[in-house]
Amino acid sequence: MGKKIIVLGGDGFCGWPTALHLSMNGYDVIIVDNLSRRKIDLDLGTNSLTPISSMETRLKRWEKETGKAIKFYNFDVAKNYHRMFSLLKEEEPDAIVHFAEQRAAPYSMRDSVCKRYTVDNNLNATHNVLCAIEQSELDIHLVHLGTMGVYGYETTGLTIPEGYLPVQVKKSDKSVVEFDILYPPEPGSIYHMTKTQDALFFYFYNKNNGIRITDLHQGIVWGTSTEETKLHEELINRFDYDGDYGTVLNRFLMQSVIGHPLTVYGSGGQTRAFIHLQDTVRCIKIAIENPPKPGDKVDIFNQATETHTILDLAEKISDLTGIKVRYYNNPRAEALKNDLIVARDKFLALGLNPTTLSEGLLEEVKEITEKYKDRIIKDKIVTVSTWSAKRKVDTVGSDKPVLE
Ligand SMILES: NC(=O)c1ccc[n+]([C@@H]2O[C@H](COP(=O)([O-])OP(=O)(O)OC[C@H]3O[C@@H](n4cnc5c(N)ncnc54)[C@H](O)[C@@H]3O)[C@@H](O)[C@H]2O)c1
């Protein structure tokens, strides 16, 4: 057996294909998940577009297809500290990949219950993992999934560096001191705020206890299948299309299949960074294979392969499918438009060969949406969560950009 990896949140959209990719590549994989994401679907009355199997069925099928076993533990990382700690002592993993957080910005902004849940869950999950690694006295490399959103989306004209900003400060004697600081956080939602606070936990435990940490600032993930999830229908990955959890490109593809107008918020001039799910799983394997050395500071990568404006994406899909773009009031408090230039040299230097948006891949996602379109609950498509009470939900939209 290869190195042992614990995947926290291994039942989720990124975690499940990552667990399979690592297992396929010879790692001994253990999944921890409290299945909270499945419970949130029930609470919201929504569903994954794809019919995901139970964890038990998934793992039996994986073993049947590949001969490889993955262990699964169902517990809450944010609440069950002692289970987390004892698992580390029992299994002595080489690395932990941490996906176990509430990850939807709109969900985190719904109401006070969702805000408080997101903060309690995400901050306690991250802190429990760090504290358990320290208490275990094991040398475990932590790989965390953060987000490009921690940098904010203001147009600065700068290329956003990989985590650290070199600064020069003039001292009182006029000499200049140079050092790197964490790029100033600019969270745009409660969810993003938890990710910026995670970064301080990482900074502290790395400095104080020497824990080796890689923080991956990931772009918006699109696609749904990877080489491994395609092996059998019981291995299918989740596909979120609803107004809270659906990510923009997957939502546009789903909307085009059922003839729903493409839901662009505001002007559509917001530029975002993207990555295909197949590259997500490759990047995580690369991060595990290239841990920071003892004594290194937190290693931060920008895990994104391309940037686009939301309107560019919508027009691309519209050209392919004939489905029209429709503009809706923006539920988010954000700039009408922004530029986004992102440094992403580190993964390229480590051998990532990026998958970019291509018609072939868009077709592949459309095939999945076409196959399961009868499962779509149509009244869950439009986002109802707004960033403040004065922003009104818009279920009708308009032909013209909304330039608030
Ligand atoms: N999906 C994206 O586009 C995207 C983009 C950037 C960053 N990320 C980051 O990647 C990570 C994974 O995202 P995802 O899309 O797979 O989300 P997801 O919601 O599909 O998966 C998260 C998984 O973690 C589990 N979980 C949550 N809290 C837990 C807890 N306290 N204990 C145990 N399990 C818990 C959930 O049940 C779920 O299976 C997140 O941290 C997210 O911030 C995702």
Side-chain angles (χ1 to χ4, degrees), residues 8-15 32-38 75-79 98-103 117 121 125 144-147 191 195 218-221 238 240 245 247:
L8 305 175
D11 186 47
F13 172 61
C14 299
V32 174
D33 201 299
N34 66 348
L35 309 184
S36 52
R37 180 66 195 86
R38 295 183 188 236
F75 68 87
D76 187 328
V77 179
K79 291 199 174 130
H98 173 26
F99 296 100
E101 294 183 81
Q102 190 301 99
R103 72 102 171 124
Y117 165 69
N121 187 63
H144 171 253
L145 269 290
T147 161
Y191 155 71
K195 293 287 183 178
Q218 182 168 243
I220 300 170
V221 181
R238 63 174 306 122
D240 296 308
Y245 278 88
T247 51

mmCIF file of all heavy atoms in Angstrom, residues 8-15 32-38 75-79 98-103 117 121 125 144-147 191 195 218-221 238 240 245 247, ligand 1:
data_model
loop_
_atom_site.group_PDB
_atom_site.id
_atom_site.type_symbol
_atom_site.label_atom_id
_atom_site.label_comp_id
_atom_site.label_asym_id
_atom_site.label_seq_id
_atom_site.Cartn_x
_atom_site.Cartn_y
_atom_site.Cartn_z
ATOM 1 N N LEU A 8 -11.278 14.279 4.487
ATOM 2 C CA LEU A 8 -12.399 14.808 5.276
ATOM 3 C C LEU A 8 -13.378 15.468 4.304
ATOM 4 O O LEU A 8 -12.977 16.317 3.503
ATOM 5 C CB LEU A 8 -11.904 15.859 6.277
ATOM 6 C CG LEU A 8 -10.795 15.429 7.227
ATOM 7 C CD1 LEU A 8 -10.328 16.621 8.073
ATOM 8 C CD2 LEU A 8 -11.278 14.296 8.133
ATOM 9 N N GLY A 9 -14.656 15.086 4.379
ATOM 10 C CA GLY A 9 -15.622 15.611 3.398
ATOM 11 C C GLY A 9 -15.582 14.805 2.115
ATOM 12 O O GLY A 9 -15.899 15.315 1.044
ATOM 13 N N GLY A 10 -15.250 13.522 2.235
ATOM 14 C CA GLY A 10 -15.043 12.661 1.061
ATOM 15 C C GLY A 10 -16.317 12.164 0.409
ATOM 16 O O GLY A 10 -16.252 11.373 -0.534
ATOM 17 N N ASP A 11 -17.483 12.621 0.901
ATOM 18 C CA ASP A 11 -18.737 12.278 0.213
ATOM 19 C C ASP A 11 -19.166 13.409 -0.720
ATOM 20 O O ASP A 11 -20.143 13.278 -1.440
ATOM 21 C CB ASP A 11 -19.840 12.020 1.264
ATOM 22 C CG ASP A 11 -21.132 11.506 0.639
ATOM 23 O OD1 ASP A 11 -21.054 10.575 -0.198
ATOM 24 O OD2 ASP A 11 -22.215 12.038 0.963
ATOM 25 N N GLY A 12 -18.443 14.536 -0.703
ATOM 26 C CA GLY A 12 -18.916 15.739 -1.406
ATOM 27 C C GLY A 12 -18.498 15.798 -2.868
ATOM 28 O O GLY A 12 -17.841 14.889 -3.404
ATOM 29 N N PHE A 13 -18.850 16.907 -3.493
ATOM 30 C CA PHE A 13 -18.642 17.124 -4.936
ATOM 31 C C PHE A 13 -17.163 17.019 -5.321
ATOM 32 O O PHE A 13 -16.827 16.388 -6.339
ATOM 33 C CB PHE A 13 -19.212 18.509 -5.282
ATOM 34 C CG PHE A 13 -18.928 18.994 -6.662
ATOM 35 C CD1 PHE A 13 -19.383 18.302 -7.774
ATOM 36 C CD2 PHE A 13 -18.222 20.183 -6.868
ATOM 37 C CE1 PHE A 13 -19.127 18.767 -9.062
ATOM 38 C CE2 PHE A 13 -17.968 20.654 -8.147
ATOM 39 C CZ PHE A 13 -18.417 19.940 -9.253
ATOM 40 N N CYS A 14 -16.271 17.625 -4.546
ATOM 41 C CA CYS A 14 -14.832 17.505 -4.846
ATOM 42 C C CYS A 14 -14.211 16.320 -4.110
ATOM 43 O O CYS A 14 -13.275 15.687 -4.610
ATOM 44 C CB CYS A 14 -14.073 18.768 -4.415
ATOM 45 S SG CYS A 14 -14.587 20.279 -5.216
ATOM 46 N N GLY A 15 -14.722 16.037 -2.900
ATOM 47 C CA GLY A 15 -14.090 15.024 -2.039
ATOM 48 C C GLY A 15 -14.221 13.611 -2.586
ATOM 49 O O GLY A 15 -13.266 12.820 -2.520
ATOM 50 N N VAL A 32 -13.775 10.458 5.790
ATOM 51 C CA VAL A 32 -14.593 10.887 6.941
ATOM 52 C C VAL A 32 -15.628 11.874 6.391
ATOM 53 O O VAL A 32 -15.266 12.790 5.646
ATOM 54 C CB VAL A 32 -13.734 11.591 8.016
ATOM 55 C CG1 VAL A 32 -14.626 12.167 9.124
ATOM 56 C CG2 VAL A 32 -12.695 10.641 8.593
ATOM 57 N N ASP A 33 -16.882 11.674 6.735
ATOM 58 C CA ASP A 33 -17.923 12.626 6.316
ATOM 59 C C ASP A 33 -19.130 12.410 7.226
ATOM 60 O O ASP A 33 -19.446 11.272 7.576
ATOM 61 C CB ASP A 33 -18.318 12.370 4.846
ATOM 62 C CG ASP A 33 -18.969 13.584 4.196
ATOM 63 O OD1 ASP A 33 -20.043 14.025 4.674
ATOM 64 O OD2 ASP A 33 -18.401 14.115 3.224
ATOM 65 N N ASN A 34 -19.792 13.498 7.620
ATOM 66 C CA ASN A 34 -21.002 13.330 8.440
ATOM 67 C C ASN A 34 -22.272 13.388 7.583
ATOM 68 O O ASN A 34 -23.369 13.461 8.120
ATOM 69 C CB ASN A 34 -21.064 14.381 9.560
ATOM 70 C CG ASN A 34 -21.220 15.794 9.019
ATOM 71 O OD1 ASN A 34 -21.068 16.021 7.816
ATOM 72 N ND2 ASN A 34 -21.517 16.736 9.887
ATOM 73 N N LEU A 35 -22.096 13.388 6.274
ATOM 74 C CA LEU A 35 -23.208 13.394 5.312
ATOM 75 C C LEU A 35 -24.106 14.621 5.476
ATOM 76 O O LEU A 35 -25.281 14.605 5.108
ATOM 77 C CB LEU A 35 -24.026 12.088 5.397
ATOM 78 C CG LEU A 35 -23.204 10.792 5.322
ATOM 79 C CD1 LEU A 35 -24.127 9.568 5.318
ATOM 80 C CD2 LEU A 35 -22.296 10.745 4.092
ATOM 81 N N SER A 36 -23.553 15.710 6.024
ATOM 82 C CA SER A 36 -24.358 16.922 6.254
ATOM 83 C C SER A 36 -24.847 17.526 4.941
ATOM 84 O O SER A 36 -25.920 18.106 4.878
ATOM 85 C CB SER A 36 -23.556 17.961 7.047
ATOM 86 O OG SER A 36 -22.313 18.199 6.427
ATOM 87 N N ARG A 37 -24.059 17.373 3.882
ATOM 88 C CA ARG A 37 -24.466 17.960 2.596
ATOM 89 C C ARG A 37 -25.744 17.276 2.083
ATOM 90 O O ARG A 37 -26.624 17.931 1.542
ATOM 91 C CB ARG A 37 -23.307 17.807 1.604
ATOM 92 C CG ARG A 37 -23.562 18.363 0.227
ATOM 93 C CD ARG A 37 -23.700 19.877 0.252
ATOM 94 N NE ARG A 37 -24.282 20.345 -0.995
ATOM 95 C CZ ARG A 37 -25.590 20.420 -1.243
ATOM 96 N NH1 ARG A 37 -26.474 20.079 -0.325
ATOM 97 N NH2 ARG A 37 -26.024 20.855 -2.406
ATOM 98 N N ARG A 38 -25.835 15.971 2.268
ATOM 99 C CA ARG A 38 -27.059 15.263 1.857
ATOM 100 C C ARG A 38 -28.244 15.732 2.707
ATOM 101 O O ARG A 38 -29.355 15.867 2.210
ATOM 102 C CB ARG A 38 -26.878 13.746 1.999
ATOM 103 C CG ARG A 38 -25.822 13.167 1.055
ATOM 104 C CD ARG A 38 -25.748 11.651 1.199
ATOM 105 N NE ARG A 38 -24.623 11.099 0.458
ATOM 106 C CZ ARG A 38 -24.729 10.149 -0.481
ATOM 107 N NH1 ARG A 38 -25.889 9.616 -0.753
ATOM 108 N NH2 ARG A 38 -23.650 9.712 -1.102
ATOM 109 N N PHE A 75 -18.656 10.798 11.014
ATOM 110 C CA PHE A 75 -18.748 11.645 12.217
ATOM 111 C C PHE A 75 -18.516 13.101 11.853
ATOM 112 O O PHE A 75 -18.029 13.415 10.765
ATOM 113 C CB PHE A 75 -17.805 11.168 13.336
ATOM 114 C CG PHE A 75 -16.331 11.316 13.061
ATOM 115 C CD1 PHE A 75 -15.660 12.502 13.362
ATOM 116 C CD2 PHE A 75 -15.593 10.260 12.537
ATOM 117 C CE1 PHE A 75 -14.292 12.636 13.127
ATOM 118 C CE2 PHE A 75 -14.227 10.385 12.301
ATOM 119 C CZ PHE A 75 -13.576 11.571 12.599
ATOM 120 N N ASP A 76 -18.880 13.971 12.800
ATOM 121 C CA ASP A 76 -18.806 15.415 12.569
ATOM 122 C C ASP A 76 -17.442 15.932 13.050
ATOM 123 O O ASP A 76 -17.144 15.896 14.244
ATOM 124 C CB ASP A 76 -19.958 16.086 13.350
ATOM 125 C CG ASP A 76 -20.071 17.572 13.040
ATOM 126 O OD1 ASP A 76 -19.038 18.225 12.776
ATOM 127 O OD2 ASP A 76 -21.209 18.075 13.081
ATOM 128 N N VAL A 77 -16.637 16.379 12.100
ATOM 129 C CA VAL A 77 -15.277 16.829 12.430
ATOM 130 C C VAL A 77 -15.321 18.086 13.311
ATOM 131 O O VAL A 77 -14.445 18.299 14.153
ATOM 132 C CB VAL A 77 -14.493 17.134 11.120
ATOM 133 C CG1 VAL A 77 -13.088 17.634 11.418
ATOM 134 C CG2 VAL A 77 -14.445 15.908 10.229
ATOM 135 N N ALA A 78 -16.364 18.899 13.128
ATOM 136 C CA ALA A 78 -16.459 20.145 13.894
ATOM 137 C C ALA A 78 -16.872 19.893 15.337
ATOM 138 O O ALA A 78 -16.575 20.694 16.223
ATOM 139 C CB ALA A 78 -17.460 21.091 13.228
ATOM 140 N N LYS A 79 -17.571 18.760 15.575
ATOM 141 C CA LYS A 79 -18.111 18.536 16.917
ATOM 142 C C LYS A 79 -17.418 17.404 17.657
ATOM 143 O O LYS A 79 -17.362 17.400 18.878
ATOM 144 C CB LYS A 79 -19.605 18.195 16.810
ATOM 145 C CG LYS A 79 -20.446 19.386 16.368
ATOM 146 C CD LYS A 79 -21.901 19.173 16.713
ATOM 147 C CE LYS A 79 -22.708 20.419 16.394
ATOM 148 N NZ LYS A 79 -23.893 20.098 15.613
ATOM 149 N N HIS A 98 -8.565 18.255 3.523
ATOM 150 C CA HIS A 98 -9.697 18.799 4.293
ATOM 151 C C HIS A 98 -10.678 19.559 3.394
ATOM 152 O O HIS A 98 -10.434 20.697 3.000
ATOM 153 C CB HIS A 98 -9.114 19.714 5.384
ATOM 154 C CG HIS A 98 -10.125 20.479 6.174
ATOM 155 N ND1 HIS A 98 -11.428 20.067 6.360
ATOM 156 C CD2 HIS A 98 -10.019 21.663 6.852
ATOM 157 C CE1 HIS A 98 -12.069 20.961 7.099
ATOM 158 N NE2 HIS A 98 -11.241 21.929 7.405
ATOM 159 N N PHE A 99 -11.809 18.869 3.080
ATOM 160 C CA PHE A 99 -12.904 19.492 2.316
ATOM 161 C C PHE A 99 -14.118 19.740 3.211
ATOM 162 O O PHE A 99 -15.149 20.200 2.720
ATOM 163 C CB PHE A 99 -13.427 18.523 1.238
ATOM 164 C CG PHE A 99 -12.501 18.127 0.149
ATOM 165 C CD1 PHE A 99 -11.838 16.898 0.187
ATOM 166 C CD2 PHE A 99 -12.318 18.925 -0.958
ATOM 167 C CE1 PHE A 99 -11.029 16.490 -0.854
ATOM 168 C CE2 PHE A 99 -11.508 18.524 -2.004
ATOM 169 C CZ PHE A 99 -10.855 17.311 -1.950
ATOM 170 N N ALA A 100 -14.044 19.349 4.499
ATOM 171 C CA ALA A 100 -15.260 19.226 5.322
ATOM 172 C C ALA A 100 -15.748 20.574 5.852
ATOM 173 O O ALA A 100 -15.633 20.873 7.043
ATOM 174 C CB ALA A 100 -14.997 18.251 6.471
ATOM 175 N N GLU A 101 -16.281 21.375 4.934
ATOM 176 C CA GLU A 101 -16.827 22.672 5.335
ATOM 177 C C GLU A 101 -18.124 22.921 4.575
ATOM 178 O O GLU A 101 -18.384 22.291 3.555
ATOM 179 C CB GLU A 101 -15.799 23.781 5.060
ATOM 180 C CG GLU A 101 -14.555 23.617 5.948
ATOM 181 C CD GLU A 101 -13.524 24.719 5.775
ATOM 182 O OE1 GLU A 101 -13.706 25.790 6.376
ATOM 183 O OE2 GLU A 101 -12.556 24.501 5.032
ATOM 184 N N GLN A 102 -18.917 23.855 5.101
ATOM 185 C CA GLN A 102 -20.131 24.297 4.383
ATOM 186 C C GLN A 102 -19.630 25.249 3.317
ATOM 187 O O GLN A 102 -19.108 26.294 3.613
ATOM 188 C CB GLN A 102 -21.079 24.962 5.376
ATOM 189 C CG GLN A 102 -22.469 25.256 4.850
ATOM 190 C CD GLN A 102 -22.520 26.160 3.629
ATOM 191 O OE1 GLN A 102 -22.653 25.684 2.477
ATOM 192 N NE2 GLN A 102 -22.382 27.449 3.842
ATOM 193 N N ARG A 103 -19.861 24.934 2.030
ATOM 194 C CA ARG A 103 -19.137 25.662 0.996
ATOM 195 C C ARG A 103 -19.952 26.594 0.093
ATOM 196 O O ARG A 103 -19.420 27.095 -0.888
ATOM 197 C CB ARG A 103 -18.339 24.694 0.148
ATOM 198 C CG ARG A 103 -19.171 23.833 -0.789
ATOM 199 C CD ARG A 103 -19.130 24.324 -2.198
ATOM 200 N NE ARG A 103 -19.740 23.403 -3.125
ATOM 201 C CZ ARG A 103 -20.722 23.746 -3.922
ATOM 202 N NH1 ARG A 103 -21.222 24.966 -3.872
ATOM 203 N NH2 ARG A 103 -21.226 22.867 -4.771
ATOM 204 N N TYR A 117 -24.423 28.477 11.500
ATOM 205 C CA TYR A 117 -23.996 27.104 11.197
ATOM 206 C C TYR A 117 -22.678 27.125 10.408
ATOM 207 O O TYR A 117 -21.751 26.368 10.700
ATOM 208 C CB TYR A 117 -25.089 26.360 10.406
ATOM 209 C CG TYR A 117 -24.565 25.090 9.773
ATOM 210 C CD1 TYR A 117 -24.207 23.995 10.564
ATOM 211 C CD2 TYR A 117 -24.380 24.996 8.394
ATOM 212 C CE1 TYR A 117 -23.680 22.844 9.981
ATOM 213 C CE2 TYR A 117 -23.862 23.852 7.810
ATOM 214 C CZ TYR A 117 -23.510 22.781 8.605
ATOM 215 O OH TYR A 117 -22.978 21.648 8.038
ATOM 216 N N ASN A 121 -19.476 25.461 11.977
ATOM 217 C CA ASN A 121 -19.012 24.242 11.311
ATOM 218 C C ASN A 121 -17.606 24.430 10.737
ATOM 219 O O ASN A 121 -16.698 23.640 10.996
ATOM 220 C CB ASN A 121 -19.988 23.872 10.183
ATOM 221 C CG ASN A 121 -19.662 22.518 9.562
ATOM 222 O OD1 ASN A 121 -19.727 21.490 10.235
ATOM 223 N ND2 ASN A 121 -19.263 22.512 8.305
ATOM 224 N N ALA A 125 -14.357 22.865 12.471
ATOM 225 C CA ALA A 125 -13.786 21.721 11.730
ATOM 226 C C ALA A 125 -12.294 21.972 11.502
ATOM 227 O O ALA A 125 -11.454 21.115 11.803
ATOM 228 C CB ALA A 125 -14.515 21.525 10.402
ATOM 229 N N HIS A 144 -5.568 21.766 2.508
ATOM 230 C CA HIS A 144 -6.896 22.350 2.708
ATOM 231 C C HIS A 144 -7.408 22.968 1.414
ATOM 232 O O HIS A 144 -6.654 23.561 0.654
ATOM 233 C CB HIS A 144 -6.806 23.451 3.778
ATOM 234 C CG HIS A 144 -8.073 24.262 3.913
ATOM 235 N ND1 HIS A 144 -8.175 25.568 3.465
ATOM 236 C CD2 HIS A 144 -9.288 23.960 4.445
ATOM 237 C CE1 HIS A 144 -9.393 26.025 3.723
ATOM 238 N NE2 HIS A 144 -10.086 25.072 4.310
ATOM 239 N N LEU A 145 -8.727 22.836 1.211
ATOM 240 C CA LEU A 145 -9.349 23.480 0.055
ATOM 241 C C LEU A 145 -9.894 24.825 0.475
ATOM 242 O O LEU A 145 -10.901 24.920 1.185
ATOM 243 C CB LEU A 145 -10.476 22.585 -0.480
ATOM 244 C CG LEU A 145 -10.037 21.597 -1.544
ATOM 245 C CD1 LEU A 145 -9.698 22.331 -2.843
ATOM 246 C CD2 LEU A 145 -8.859 20.758 -1.120
ATOM 247 N N GLY A 146 -9.192 25.845 0.048
ATOM 248 C CA GLY A 146 -9.666 27.222 0.254
ATOM 249 C C GLY A 146 -10.258 27.715 -1.052
ATOM 250 O O GLY A 146 -10.542 26.937 -1.958
ATOM 251 N N THR A 147 -10.406 29.024 -1.177
ATOM 252 C CA THR A 147 -11.074 29.555 -2.364
ATOM 253 C C THR A 147 -10.373 30.810 -2.883
ATOM 254 O O THR A 147 -9.796 31.578 -2.106
ATOM 255 C CB THR A 147 -12.557 29.879 -2.048
ATOM 256 O OG1 THR A 147 -13.059 30.790 -3.033
ATOM 257 C CG2 THR A 147 -12.733 30.544 -0.700
ATOM 258 N N TYR A 191 -19.463 32.654 4.187
ATOM 259 C CA TYR A 191 -18.655 31.489 3.788
ATOM 260 C C TYR A 191 -17.216 31.905 3.495
ATOM 261 O O TYR A 191 -16.271 31.300 4.010
ATOM 262 C CB TYR A 191 -19.293 30.809 2.553
ATOM 263 C CG TYR A 191 -18.291 30.039 1.732
ATOM 264 C CD1 TYR A 191 -17.739 28.853 2.201
ATOM 265 C CD2 TYR A 191 -17.860 30.520 0.489
ATOM 266 C CE1 TYR A 191 -16.791 28.161 1.448
ATOM 267 C CE2 TYR A 191 -16.924 29.837 -0.265
ATOM 268 C CZ TYR A 191 -16.384 28.660 0.228
ATOM 269 O OH TYR A 191 -15.442 27.992 -0.503
ATOM 270 N N LYS A 195 -13.268 31.156 5.331
ATOM 271 C CA LYS A 195 -12.035 30.711 4.651
ATOM 272 C C LYS A 195 -10.873 31.661 4.959
ATOM 273 O O LYS A 195 -9.722 31.228 5.055
ATOM 274 C CB LYS A 195 -12.274 30.639 3.138
ATOM 275 C CG LYS A 195 -13.245 29.553 2.733
ATOM 276 C CD LYS A 195 -12.616 28.172 2.862
ATOM 277 C CE LYS A 195 -13.552 27.093 2.403
ATOM 278 N NZ LYS A 195 -13.003 25.758 2.462
ATOM 279 N N GLN A 218 -8.866 27.639 -4.489
ATOM 280 C CA GLN A 218 -9.462 27.043 -5.684
ATOM 281 C C GLN A 218 -10.446 27.986 -6.358
ATOM 282 O O GLN A 218 -11.163 28.739 -5.696
ATOM 283 C CB GLN A 218 -10.169 25.747 -5.270
ATOM 284 C CG GLN A 218 -10.782 24.993 -6.416
ATOM 285 C CD GLN A 218 -11.213 23.591 -6.049
ATOM 286 O OE1 GLN A 218 -10.708 22.621 -6.585
ATOM 287 N NE2 GLN A 218 -12.171 23.474 -5.160
ATOM 288 N N GLY A 219 -10.498 27.911 -7.684
ATOM 289 C CA GLY A 219 -11.515 28.641 -8.438
ATOM 290 C C GLY A 219 -12.834 27.879 -8.415
ATOM 291 O O GLY A 219 -12.966 26.850 -7.745
ATOM 292 N N ILE A 220 -13.810 28.390 -9.157
ATOM 293 C CA ILE A 220 -15.129 27.741 -9.224
ATOM 294 C C ILE A 220 -14.984 26.463 -10.056
ATOM 295 O O ILE A 220 -14.454 26.493 -11.162
ATOM 296 C CB ILE A 220 -16.159 28.685 -9.871
ATOM 297 C CG1 ILE A 220 -16.281 29.977 -9.036
ATOM 298 C CG2 ILE A 220 -17.500 27.998 -10.031
ATOM 299 C CD1 ILE A 220 -17.096 31.074 -9.714
ATOM 300 N N VAL A 221 -15.460 25.367 -9.482
ATOM 301 C CA VAL A 221 -15.274 24.081 -10.147
ATOM 302 C C VAL A 221 -16.443 23.832 -11.105
ATOM 303 O O VAL A 221 -17.595 24.077 -10.764
ATOM 304 C CB VAL A 221 -15.193 22.941 -9.112
ATOM 305 C CG1 VAL A 221 -14.970 21.604 -9.807
ATOM 306 C CG2 VAL A 221 -14.078 23.216 -8.112
ATOM 307 N N ARG A 238 -21.936 13.954 -7.380
ATOM 308 C CA ARG A 238 -23.089 14.840 -7.232
ATOM 309 C C ARG A 238 -22.987 15.997 -8.226
ATOM 310 O O ARG A 238 -21.890 16.356 -8.688
ATOM 311 C CB ARG A 238 -23.262 15.330 -5.805
ATOM 312 C CG ARG A 238 -22.157 16.182 -5.221
ATOM 313 C CD ARG A 238 -22.554 16.705 -3.832
ATOM 314 N NE ARG A 238 -23.817 17.390 -3.891
ATOM 315 C CZ ARG A 238 -24.900 17.064 -3.167
ATOM 316 N NH1 ARG A 238 -24.845 16.086 -2.292
ATOM 317 N NH2 ARG A 238 -26.018 17.730 -3.299
ATOM 318 N N ASP A 240 -24.733 19.804 -8.389
ATOM 319 C CA ASP A 240 -25.629 20.778 -7.759
ATOM 320 C C ASP A 240 -26.068 21.797 -8.805
ATOM 321 O O ASP A 240 -25.223 22.355 -9.507
ATOM 322 C CB ASP A 240 -24.892 21.485 -6.619
ATOM 323 C CG ASP A 240 -24.517 20.508 -5.520
ATOM 324 O OD1 ASP A 240 -25.392 19.778 -5.053
ATOM 325 O OD2 ASP A 240 -23.319 20.470 -5.148
ATOM 326 N N TYR A 245 -26.355 25.980 -4.039
ATOM 327 C CA TYR A 245 -25.112 25.192 -4.179
ATOM 328 C C TYR A 245 -24.615 25.054 -5.619
ATOM 329 O O TYR A 245 -23.455 24.707 -5.841
ATOM 330 C CB TYR A 245 -25.304 23.793 -3.563
ATOM 331 C CG TYR A 245 -25.120 23.806 -2.062
ATOM 332 C CD1 TYR A 245 -26.183 24.064 -1.218
ATOM 333 C CD2 TYR A 245 -23.863 23.614 -1.496
ATOM 334 C CE1 TYR A 245 -26.012 24.130 0.158
ATOM 335 C CE2 TYR A 245 -23.681 23.668 -0.133
ATOM 336 C CZ TYR A 245 -24.759 23.926 0.685
ATOM 337 O OH TYR A 245 -24.576 23.991 2.035
ATOM 338 N N THR A 247 -22.947 25.662 -9.034
ATOM 339 C CA THR A 247 -21.902 26.616 -9.457
ATOM 340 C C THR A 247 -22.216 27.062 -10.888
ATOM 341 O O THR A 247 -22.844 26.346 -11.657
ATOM 342 C CB THR A 247 -20.495 26.005 -9.341
ATOM 343 O OG1 THR A 247 -20.480 24.750 -9.996
ATOM 344 C CG2 THR A 247 -20.103 25.833 -7.890
HETATM 345 N N1 LIG B 1 -17.175 23.353 -5.470
HETATM 346 C C1 LIG B 1 -16.490 24.432 -5.766
HETATM 347 O O1 LIG B 1 -16.691 25.063 -6.828
HETATM 348 C C2 LIG B 1 -15.405 24.913 -4.845
HETATM 349 C C3 LIG B 1 -14.663 26.033 -5.228
HETATM 350 C C4 LIG B 1 -13.658 26.502 -4.379
HETATM 351 C C5 LIG B 1 -13.406 25.850 -3.177
HETATM 352 N N2 LIG B 1 -14.144 24.759 -2.827
HETATM 353 C C6 LIG B 1 -13.849 24.144 -1.526
HETATM 354 O O2 LIG B 1 -13.714 22.751 -1.633
HETATM 355 C C7 LIG B 1 -14.262 22.109 -0.482
HETATM 356 C C8 LIG B 1 -15.226 21.040 -0.939
HETATM 357 O O3 LIG B 1 -16.255 21.622 -1.739
HETATM 358 P P1 LIG B 1 -17.380 20.733 -2.369
HETATM 359 O O4 LIG B 1 -17.899 21.471 -3.544
HETATM 360 O O5 LIG B 1 -16.906 19.344 -2.515
HETATM 361 O O6 LIG B 1 -18.491 20.810 -1.214
HETATM 362 P P2 LIG B 1 -19.551 19.715 -0.730
HETATM 363 O O7 LIG B 1 -20.523 20.403 0.146
HETATM 364 O O8 LIG B 1 -20.079 18.950 -1.908
HETATM 365 O O9 LIG B 1 -18.655 18.715 0.137
HETATM 366 C C9 LIG B 1 -18.267 18.958 1.461
HETATM 367 C C10 LIG B 1 -18.417 17.644 2.213
HETATM 368 O O10 LIG B 1 -17.990 17.848 3.565
HETATM 369 C C11 LIG B 1 -18.924 17.241 4.438
HETATM 370 N N3 LIG B 1 -18.868 17.990 5.709
HETATM 371 C C12 LIG B 1 -19.157 19.299 5.915
HETATM 372 N N4 LIG B 1 -18.972 19.620 7.203
HETATM 373 C C13 LIG B 1 -18.543 18.491 7.816
HETATM 374 C C14 LIG B 1 -18.192 18.186 9.159
HETATM 375 N N5 LIG B 1 -18.270 19.101 10.139
HETATM 376 N N6 LIG B 1 -17.788 16.923 9.463
HETATM 377 C C15 LIG B 1 -17.720 15.966 8.488
HETATM 378 N N7 LIG B 1 -18.047 16.196 7.204
HETATM 379 C C16 LIG B 1 -18.464 17.449 6.882
HETATM 380 C C17 LIG B 1 -20.271 17.339 3.718
HETATM 381 O O11 LIG B 1 -21.205 16.364 4.148
HETATM 382 C C18 LIG B 1 -19.854 17.156 2.257
HETATM 383 O O12 LIG B 1 -19.927 15.808 1.857
HETATM 384 C C19 LIG B 1 -14.947 23.188 0.352
HETATM 385 O O13 LIG B 1 -14.210 23.472 1.498
HETATM 386 C C20 LIG B 1 -15.007 24.374 -0.573
HETATM 387 O O14 LIG B 1 -14.868 25.559 0.120
HETATM 388 C C21 LIG B 1 -15.138 24.272 -3.630
#
